[in-house]
Amino acid sequence: MLLLMRDLDQKHRLRQMTLAVMAALGFAILALAVSSAGSAPARADTRTASLTAEDRADLDRVSAYLSNLTDMQGNFLQVGPDGSLAEGKFYLRRPGRLRFEYTPPEQMLVVADGTWVAVKDGFSATQRYPIGATPLGILLEHHVDLAKEVNVLAVEHQPGALRIKLADKSGNAPGDITLVFDEPALQLRQWVVTDAQGLQTTLALRNIQTGLRADNALFTLKTEQRPGVGKQ
């Protein structure tokens, strides 16, 4: 019975880690994509929307906004598919650098240093993935062109918001992501990640500040580093 309880706890932790990575990396359902790699050839995602001229103009506008975004930081609130809540602090420095640190009792830390994406869960070993091998690279690269780099599933205007639903073209990251921007002053406010099973994880950005340059140490995660190290 004790072994069964431990096994269930480990599976629960793995699922929580997967949800956290899904939310923090935005495009990538990274843990699922990596665990399934090699088990079967990836199928290209052929889903795409029929875009109007207005849709393409919106995509160009969003791509320019993301390409020109340099330094941003603030807080985030994550809502899992089961209604569970997690929160923390994020730091973004484009191109290439991102940090999501979760507030206890969560022990998750996700850091992109320009080359690697490192995921730290409590005292477990740090997992590292090449940033170019994850869809995260699309948002962190120097020049963003959503119309070319991903499959656009929908462009939707709502009162005070612009929603763009995207999917990875290669099929290596199953599911999709909806980016939500404030309108008319274009600013990224949240994203909703839907996994291959249709489960949704929402991450909302709050108290956003731009133009503040975060310390270089925030985008470095050493193997022995614990969550929380390097906070300003």
Side-chain angles (χ1 to χ4, degrees):
M1 179 62 71
L2 181 59
L3 291 176
L4 176 61
M5 292 177 65
R6 287 179 178 175
D7 183 58
L8 290 175
D9 183 64
Q10 289 176 349
K11 289 181 178 179
H12 175 72
R13 288 296 303 163
L14 178 61
R15 179 60 178 165
Q16 291 301 107
M17 178 178 177
T18 301
L19 294 176
V21 173
M22 281 170 56
L25 297 190
F27 277 83
I29 304 173
L30 186 57
L32 296 179
V34 171
S35 65
S36 62
S39 60
R43 295 183 178 180
D45 193 328
T46 58
R47 295 177 295 165
T48 187
S50 216
L51 301 176
T52 66
E54 183 182 5
D55 293 338
R56 295 186 182 278
D58 284 328
L59 289 174
D60 289 343
R61 192 160 57 100
V62 168
S63 295
Y65 161 77
L66 293 174
S67 295
N68 292 326
L69 189 62
T70 53
D71 298 296
M72 183 169 71
Q73 59 184 266
N75 303 103
F76 67 87
L77 176 66
Q78 177 184 306
V79 183
D82 58 354
S84 60
L85 300 177
E87 59 184 353
K89 181 82 174 179
F90 79 92
Y91 303 86
L92 172 70
R93 184 196 295 173
R94 296 188 65 262
R97 292 169 173 80
L98 179 70
R99 178 186 179 98
F100 275 83
E101 53 186 45
Y102 285 73
T103 301
E106 295 297 329
Q107 294 294 310
M108 182 69 60
L109 181 61
V110 179
V111 177
D113 64 5
T115 302
W116 297 92
V117 178
V119 181
K120 182 71 175 175
D121 181 23
F123 289 89
S124 63
T126 301
Q127 303 296 315
R128 297 180 187 273
Y129 310 94
I131 194 170
T134 75
L136 178 62
I138 296 172
L139 285 180
L140 294 183
E141 65 185 11
H142 188 269
H143 179 71
V144 178
D145 190 340
L146 296 179
K148 291 183 178 179
E149 308 244 352
V150 295
N151 279 351
V152 180
L153 305 182
V155 179
E156 180 183 7
H157 283 273
Q158 295 180 347
L162 171 65
R163 298 171 63 91
I164 299 180
K165 189 176 183 179
L166 307 165
D168 176 40
K169 280 186 175 182
S170 68
N172 287 323
D176 55 60
I177 179 174
T178 299
L179 303 178
V180 183
F181 300 86
D182 279 348
E183 284 279 56
L186 192 67
Q187 186 173 50
L188 180 62
R189 281 298 181 184
Q190 72 176 45
W191 53 74
V192 182
V193 179
T194 305
D195 70 11
Q197 287 72 47
L199 300 177
Q200 291 188 334
T201 300
T202 299
L203 192 143
L205 306 180
R206 305 184 298 179
N207 304 321
I208 296 175
Q209 296 177 293
T210 58
L212 297 179
R213 191 170 180 83
D215 190 275
N216 289 335
L218 292 171
F219 307 109
T220 301
L221 180 59
K222 298 179 180 179
T223 301
E224 68 276 9
Q225 186 176 344
R226 271 51 169 183
V229 173
K231 288 186 178 179
Q232 288 184 317

